[in-house]
Amino acid sequence: MEEKLTEYARLLVQVGLNVQKGQNLIISCPVECAYFARMCAAEAYAIGCREVIMNWHDDAMSRMKYLQASEDVFETVPAWREHFFNDYAKEGAAYLAISATDPENLKGVDPQRIVKSQQASGKALKDFDRLQMASGFPWCIASIPIPSWAGRVFPDAGDGAVDRLWDAIFAAVRISGDGKCVEKWQAHLATLHRRVEKLNGLRLASLHYTNALGTDLTIRLPQGHVWEAGNDVTPTGQEYIANIPTEEIFTAPLKNGIDGVVYSAMPLVNDGNIIDKFHFVVKEGRIVEAHAEKGEESLKAAISVDEGASYFGEVALVPYDSPISNQKILYYNTLFDENAACHLAFGEAYPCIEGGRQMNKEELKAHGLNDSITHVDFMVGTPDLSIVGTTQDGREVPIFVNGNFAPDI
C-alpha cells in the first residue's frame, strides 16, 4: 500500500502537474487527507519545488457554516482568499486539488446560500477561473477515499469500504503496484490523441444524440472548434493533465445551437447534494425546463447562478466500454463518474476553438462560446447511446454506436 501511495503521489506531481524546479505548488485538500497531501509535498520538494502552500478545508466546518453563519457571509469573499487564488494563478503556480467529500454534506442547506456563495466567489476569483479554463497554469484534480464518501459508494462494505474504494481508484488511475503507471499513461494519452485527430479531421457541424431514456438532442458546434483530450500545455510550454483519471475527448458547443431534450444517465453530486433522474428541455441553447425525481430544487438553483449557467459549455465523449465504466461503480464523484460516460456541462465553455487560448472573453463570446462563473458536468452516456455527426459539407457520420465510438473513430 505504501508503494502504491508513493507511486500515486509521484504520478500527480511529476506527470499530472509536471512541477518544475523553482515553481510554487498550491495543494487544496480536506483535513482528513493530510497524510496524502504531505506525500505529494514531499514529492514536489524532491524535484525542486520552491514552496508548497496548503489550502485546507473540512466537510464538517463547511456544513456548519452553510447552516448557521450569518447571511452576509455568503455575499462576499475575504480579500486574503481573493489574493491567494488570483495572485498564485497569475504567477503560474501549480495547483493540485484533492477531491474527497461526503456526497450529501450540504443536504438540507438553503440552495440560495450556495448560489450566493458561488456568485461572490465567481466575481472575486475571476482571474483564477479565467486562467484555469485557458491553461494559464498547470492544474490537476485527483481523489483519495474518506470514510463518508467510501460508505456511500460501498454501503454494504462496513469498515472495508475505504479499502475497496482505494482499490477502485488505483485501478482507475492505472496503478497496479508494478511501478509502470507512467508508461501506461503515456500509452493511454496516445490513444486519446489519435481519436482527437480523427474527430478534428471530420470538421463536424453538429451532433445528434438519441437513446432509450428519451434523449433526442441536436448540438451545433462553433465554426473552427477543436477537440481536445488528456494532457494540456501552459503558455510557457509546461505540459500537465487536468484530471486524473481522464477518459474523455471534449470540445465546446455553440451557445445558441442546442435544441431538444436530454436525460441524465447517472446521479449528479453538486454542491453537497445528490440530484437524480433528471432531464432538461433545451431551446436555442437555453435550458427552459429542468425536472428531477430527486434534488430538483438544487438542480434549478445550479442553472440559475448566472445567465450563462442555463446554457452549455462542454461536449465530452467517453466510450461506455471504458476502464472506469467497466468497474460498474457509481462513485458519487464527478471526477470519476464523468469518465465513465459521455457527458455535457452547463456553464462556462473551455476555449476549444482555433486560437481560443489567446482570445479574451468578448472574443470567445463572439465565436459562440458560453460565459459563466459555473461549470457542472452531468452524465448522458448509456449502452445504447447513438451520436450521429453531420459534417460541414452535409455528410452524416456515425460517431457513437451502441454507447461506444464507431469503428472508424
Side-chain angles (χ1 to χ4, degrees):
M1 184 63 177
E2 191 71 18
E3 291 176 357
K4 287 183 177 180
L5 286 172
T6 300
E7 187 175 4
Y8 192 19
R10 188 168 298 140
L11 172 69
L12 299 182
V13 171
Q14 295 190 15
V15 180
L17 291 169
N18 188 19
V19 173
Q20 300 295 296
K21 186 175 181 179
Q23 186 174 33
N24 285 328
L25 169 62
I26 313 302
I27 301 180
S28 182
C29 179
V31 292
E32 291 174 277
C33 304
Y35 70 97
F36 187 69
R38 296 186 193 108
M39 296 182 76
C40 293
E43 292 294 331
Y45 279 128
I47 58 176
C49 173
R50 177 181 176 275
E51 183 184 8
V52 177
I53 304 99
M54 294 304 306
N55 174 48
W56 300 106
H57 51 90
D58 175 61
D59 269 357
M61 290 301 299
S62 178
R63 181 168 178 80
M64 276 191 271
K65 173 183 173 180
Y66 274 101
L67 287 173
Q68 301 179 47
S70 297
E71 194 71 26
D72 63 307
V73 168
F74 306 101
E75 298 172 354
T76 59
V77 172
W80 70 264
R81 188 169 182 80
E82 181 177 345
H83 281 289
F84 180 90
F85 283 97
N86 291 335
D87 292 355
Y88 278 121
K90 289 175 184 176
E91 78 165 36
Y95 178 72
L96 174 62
I98 298 174
S99 171
T101 188
D102 180 346
E104 292 193 301
N105 187 52
L106 300 185
K107 184 177 180 179
V109 168
D110 180 359
Q112 290 309 308
R113 285 193 158 208
I114 297 173
V115 169
K116 287 180 180 179
S117 180
Q118 287 180 322
Q119 291 172 335
S121 181
K123 182 178 180 180
L125 307 186
K126 61 183 179 181
D127 289 334
F128 175 88
D129 293 339
R130 174 181 56 83
L131 289 166
Q132 184 176 36
M133 296 296 279
S135 298
F137 57 89
W139 56 280
C140 181
I141 302 174
S143 289
I144 71 170
I146 58 173
S148 57
W149 174 30
R152 169 68 66 173
V153 179
F154 298 107
D156 301 324
D159 293 340
V162 169
D163 288 340
R164 287 188 63 181
L165 187 51
W166 261 125
D167 290 341
I169 290 174
F170 282 143
V173 301
R174 294 173 168 80
I175 289 178
S176 57
D178 58 6
K180 296 182 178 179
C181 71
V182 173
E183 297 172 34
K184 295 172 186 176
W185 270 92
Q186 290 170 340
H188 173 53
L189 292 173
T191 298
L192 291 177
H193 285 289
R194 282 195 296 270
R195 283 187 166 144
V196 163
E197 290 178 5
K198 289 183 178 180
L199 286 167
N200 282 330
L202 288 174
R203 294 175 57 81
L204 294 167
S206 66
L207 300 168
H208 183 211
Y209 287 59
T210 54
N211 66 13
L213 288 177
T215 292
D216 187 352
L217 191 73
T218 298
I219 300 174
R220 291 166 55 204
L221 302 174
Q223 194 82 2
H225 73 276
V226 292
W227 293 89
E228 299 183 6
N231 56 340
D232 215 324
V233 61
T234 69
T236 60
Q238 186 173 348
E239 292 188 2
Y240 69 94
I241 302 173
N243 292 342
I244 291 183
T246 183
E247 303 289 336
E248 66 179 315
I249 295 171
F250 62 94
T251 192
L254 185 65
K255 177 180 178 179
N256 298 316
I258 304 179
D259 291 277
V261 61
V262 59
Y263 282 77
S264 66
M266 303 168 70
L268 166 65
V269 176
N270 187 57
D271 294 323
N273 289 277
I274 295 176
I275 304 166
D276 197 10
K277 292 182 172 58
F278 62 94
H279 71 275
F280 295 128
V281 177
V282 189
K283 292 183 179 179
E284 296 182 348
R286 183 171 177 269
I287 299 170
V288 296
E289 293 181 33
H291 304 281
E293 291 187 16
K294 178 180 181 179
E296 184 171 304
E297 187 179 9
S298 295
L299 181 64
K300 290 181 175 178
I303 62 171
S304 66
V305 172
D306 61 10
E307 190 268 346
S310 60
Y311 290 82
F312 291 85
E314 182 184 1
V315 178
L317 305 177
V318 180
Y320 195 78
D321 182 16
S322 62
I324 298 176
S325 178
N326 289 337
Q327 290 183 348
K328 305 303 179 189
I329 296 171
L330 179 60
Y331 279 88
Y332 293 98
N333 181 311
T334 300
L335 175 64
F336 293 89
D337 291 336
E338 73 170 2
N339 284 295
C342 284
H343 55 275
L344 304 172
F346 54 86
E348 177 80 351
Y350 289 108
C352 296
I353 195 163
E354 294 172 359
R357 299 294 169 86
Q358 288 74 49
M359 295 181 187
N360 60 34
K361 285 284 189 183
E362 294 307 314
E363 290 171 323
L364 290 170
K365 287 193 283 187
H367 281 78
L369 272 61
N370 191 32
D371 177 32
S372 176
I373 62 172
T374 191
H375 179 96
V376 179
D377 299 283
F378 66 98
M379 285 55 75
V380 301
T382 56
D384 67 338
L385 178 66
S386 168
I387 304 177
V388 177
T390 300
T391 64
Q392 293 179 15
D393 58 7
R395 292 183 299 115
E396 289 193 349
V397 181
I399 306 298
F400 261 57
V401 178
N402 291 327
N404 289 303
F405 279 107
D408 293 336
I409 303 298

